[in-house]
Amino acid sequence: MNQDYYKNYYHLERNHWWFVVRLEILKQELQKIAVLEKKSKRKILNIGIATGKTSEMLSQFGEVTSVEYDAVCAEFVRQKLNIEVIEGSILELSFEENSFDWVCAFDVIEHVKDDKKAISEMNRVCRNKGKVCITVPAFQSLWSHHDEINQHFKRYKMNEILNLFDLQSENIDNTSSFKILRKTYFNSFLFVPIWLFRKLNFLIPQQFIRKGSGSDFEIYKENRFLDSILKGIFRAEKKILQKNISFSFGVSLLFFIEKQKYRD
């Protein structure tokens, strides 16, 4: 990737309806955890920071260590935001065991083939009673050109995430390594139109509907009216999530757990 791509992505992360409201939802759900913890200071690891907007948000909750796999992206963020970014992979984190209070990877797991190893590494560097927080794209039926452009390996269902954490049953006993704090799909109200759009995509030559990087994000960014409507719909969903109501389907999936103990 080049600097022009990251300049464009930087704008998307701060203006596009999906990025804007997703960040609001993440902050809202993390705030619930922060209130229960009653901590004034915490060490936070943010893996796969892209152009840094999630690290900016997380800095409201503690001291953030930012990790990014792509060297060009890491350098772009250093220059743009004047923050330290460590180049590294979620599959081989360069930190000791039990180093962080929160370990976050927002839309990162789907980018690695060995997702089990990624979760194991997040667990390893998380402290006992610390939190592991992830989001991933949901449902393989939504697979499209957007996933291919963004180098995804797969999309997930909730039971697959439970399996990654060895939490196959919702009735987890006291010997489990994790306690589930929050699990829900989100971007649910727009699931059907997005599903239809992506299915129709296979029938239309991509050059007629996609520009720039070719991802779905490029399609909406110039249409302010549509962007405003989509933000409104997504924010209505945010209000429901605020009440700790969970959705049984959606375009994305959110999963927050508390580490009980480390288990090989």
Side-chain angles (χ1 to χ4, degrees), residues 14-191:
R14 288 152 179 82
N15 296 280
H16 186 280
W17 67 272
W18 182 83
F19 283 107
V20 170
V21 183
R22 181 194 71 148
L23 193 74
E24 293 174 2
I25 289 172
L26 289 175
K27 182 179 177 181
Q28 170 181 279
E29 299 304 312
L30 289 168
Q31 183 63 44
K32 295 176 187 177
I33 294 175
V35 168
L36 293 174
E37 284 184 336
K38 299 179 180 178
K39 286 184 179 181
S40 58
K41 296 181 180 179
R42 56 180 62 85
K43 291 185 66 177
I44 302 170
L45 178 63
N46 189 25
I47 308 165
I49 68 166
T51 58
K53 188 60 180 175
T54 53
S55 285
E56 289 180 317
M57 179 271 290
L58 286 168
S59 67
Q60 300 172 55
F61 297 100
E63 176 189 339
V64 180
T65 298
S66 299
V67 173
E68 173 55 44
Y69 179 76
D70 188 284
V72 176
C73 182
E75 182 58 28
F76 175 84
V77 175
R78 291 188 193 107
Q79 295 178 10
K80 191 73 174 179
L81 300 182
N82 193 30
I83 64 172
E84 179 57 37
V85 182
I86 298 170
E87 293 173 32
S89 168
I90 193 172
L91 298 176
E92 193 174 354
L93 296 170
S94 58
F95 307 103
E96 295 182 357
E97 294 181 7
N98 306 310
S99 295
F100 297 94
D101 299 295
W102 290 3
V103 181
C104 304
F106 302 127
D107 291 274
V108 177
I109 303 298
E110 68 273 13
H111 291 277
V112 296
K113 188 173 184 179
D114 193 351
D115 49 6
K116 189 74 173 180
K117 173 66 172 175
I119 294 300
S120 176
E121 276 292 276
M122 294 181 73
N123 177 29
R124 181 183 66 81
V125 301
C126 184
R127 290 173 177 164
N128 290 331
K129 300 299 181 181
K131 312 303 186 290
V132 176
C133 306
I134 68 169
T135 59
V136 291
F139 291 104
Q140 197 66 21
S141 63
L142 284 169
W143 185 269
S144 73
H145 184 70
H146 173 81
D147 295 283
E148 296 169 359
I149 286 293
N150 285 281
Q151 300 179 336
H152 294 172
F153 279 93
K154 66 181 296 185
R155 303 179 69 93
Y156 292 85
K157 291 182 180 179
M158 188 66 72
N159 68 308
E160 292 172 315
I161 296 299
L162 289 170
N163 286 336
L164 284 179
F165 284 91
D166 294 325
L167 298 173
Q168 292 86 354
S169 171
E170 293 189 24
N171 299 315
I172 306 303
D173 62 29
N174 293 330
T175 65
S176 173
S177 296
F178 303 104
K179 174 185 176 182
I180 299 173
L181 301 176
R182 188 77 164 106
K183 64 181 182 73
T184 182
Y185 292 98
F186 65 105
N187 199 1
S188 302
F189 291 170
L190 293 167
F191 181 90

